[in-house]
Every structure is written in C-alpha cells, then in structure tokens.
C-alpha cells in the first residue's frame, strides 16, 4: 500500500501565497516613493481652497473686498483685503509638502460676488516627474484635469 504524503495541500499553498502577497505589498510600499500621493493630496487641497474662496466670495456682502486665491511656488493662500481667511481652526496660507511645486497660469484668482473668476490652469508637480493639473472655469468651478 502506497501513501500519498508528498507535497503540500491546497490550503497550505493558498496560505503561503497570501503571506507572500502581504509581505510584497508591505515591502513595495516602503521602497516606492509616496510622491504620487503627495501630489494628489496637494491637488485636492488646492481644489478645496478654490472652492472655499468661491463660497466665501458668494457669502460676503461687500463687493469692494474681493476674495483672492494667491499661489506661490509651494503654498496657496485665501485672502480678503490682504488678510488671510480662517478656514476652520487653521489660517491660510497652506504650505505644500516638501518637493511639491505649484505653477499657475495666473498668480492669483479673484472671485466676485457671484463666485466667478478668470479661467486658468494650475499644475502641481513633484519629484520623479509626478504631476497633476487643475482647471478653473470662468464660472469659478475648479476640477482635476
């Protein structure tokens, strides 16, 4: 009588495959750059700042003090009459993570009482050639391009 005790069972093979997958995902995330997520996070922060500025402009009754979104190479600021506006518990300017650069078709976007601004584009770039872009419509609507 011959016994078939050689090899691995299906459960053992599946368990080892799952463990190798988990270990490789953990190691890959440590070795790969998180620059892609920094660029996307910065893109979302800028869109949020543009939306916040539009909402603030439509909320204010004083048309003589427009709301501006001002860009530098590594920060975005929402201001009224040159003073930063408080957003929740934080004040602008919002600093981008290290290695993130902002390039805008306009150094600032001015929002009127109806939430309109000049159309333009904003590019966010990081190390390794990772980039994202934002398009701002004349209606004030901003979205990832």
């Amino acid at each position: 009588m011959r016994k078939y005790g050689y090899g691995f069972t299906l459960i053992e093979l599946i368990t080892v495959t799952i463990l190798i997958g988990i270990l490789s995902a953990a190691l890959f995330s440590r070795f790969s750059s998180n620059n892609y997520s920094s660029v996307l996070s910065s893109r979302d922060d800028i869109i949020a700042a543009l939306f916040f500025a539009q909402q603030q402009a439509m909320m204010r009754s004083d048309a003589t003090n427009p709301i501006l979104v001002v860009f530098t190479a590594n920060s975005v600021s929402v201001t009224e009459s040159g003073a930063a506006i408080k957003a929740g518990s934080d004040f602008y300017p919002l600093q981008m993570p290290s290695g993130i650069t902002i390039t805008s078709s306009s150094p600032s976007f001015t929002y009127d009482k109806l939430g309109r601004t000049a159309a333009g584009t904003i590019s966010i770039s990081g190390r390794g050639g990772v980039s994202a872009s934002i398009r701002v419509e004349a209606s004030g609507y901003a979205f990832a391009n």
Side-chain angles (χ1 to χ4, degrees):
M1 187 169 198
R2 191 169 175 192
K3 253 187 152 177
Y4 293 101
Y6 305 104
F8 299 103
T9 66
L10 182 60
I11 293 175
E12 291 171 333
L13 290 173
I14 291 173
T15 304
V16 169
T17 304
I18 290 172
L19 289 174
I20 289 173
I22 291 171
L23 288 174
S24 65
L27 289 176
F28 179 72
S29 67
R30 287 189 182 255
F31 291 122
S32 70
S33 169
N34 65 354
N35 202 32
Y36 182 71
S37 61
S38 294
V39 169
L40 293 184
S41 172
S42 298
R43 179 199 66 190
D44 294 343
D45 287 342
I46 292 171
I47 290 173
L50 291 165
F51 179 71
F52 175 73
Q54 183 185 37
Q55 295 300 312
Q56 291 297 312
M58 292 189 301
M59 223 171 52
R60 313 273 177 174
S61 61
D62 188 8
T64 59
N65 294 326
I67 305 295
L68 282 99
V69 179
V70 181
F71 295 99
T72 64
N74 60 355
S75 70
V76 59
S77 183
V78 180
T79 63
E80 179 182 23
S81 302
I85 297 177
K86 187 174 182 179
S89 62
D90 295 328
F91 282 92
Y92 283 97
L94 177 63
Q95 296 294 324
M96 296 297 120
S98 169
I100 301 297
T101 305
I102 303 170
T103 309
S104 177
S105 62
S106 172
S108 66
F109 289 90
T110 304
Y111 285 88
D112 66 7
K113 178 71 178 139
L114 297 176
R116 298 175 299 197
T117 188
T121 58
I122 303 158
S123 297
I124 303 104
S125 57
R127 286 180 237 125
V130 179
S131 66
S133 64
I134 300 169
R135 194 164 133 200
V136 181
E137 298 287 333
S139 66
Y141 179 67
F143 59 94
N145 200 8

